[in-house]
Amino acid sequence: MGDPVDWDTLPSSRKTDSRGSAFADFLAGSGCLVAVLAFPAIWVNGLVALFN
């Protein structure tokens, strides 16, 4: 946004803050784990209900 584009170097205007990024990565990973565990549980519950 207003800075000249230089394709040969890494952008130097952005500062990396790894402190907040680690927590965001943890939350994203936890959400994915919950989704991966909840999907088969709901599927198996529906399959059991189908045969009852």
Side-chain angles (χ1 to χ4, degrees):
M1 295 264 181
D3 293 331
V5 178
D6 185 10
W7 297 104
D8 295 330
T9 61
L10 292 174
S12 61
S13 63
R14 290 187 179 184
K15 295 179 182 176
T16 57
D17 185 15
S18 62
R19 182 180 48 144
S21 177
F23 184 65
D25 289 344
F26 171 75
L27 288 178
S30 299
C32 289
L33 181 63
V34 167
V36 164
L37 293 177
F39 179 74
I42 293 171
W43 189 81
V44 168
N45 188 24
L47 191 64
V48 168
L50 183 65
F51 291 109
N52 280 341

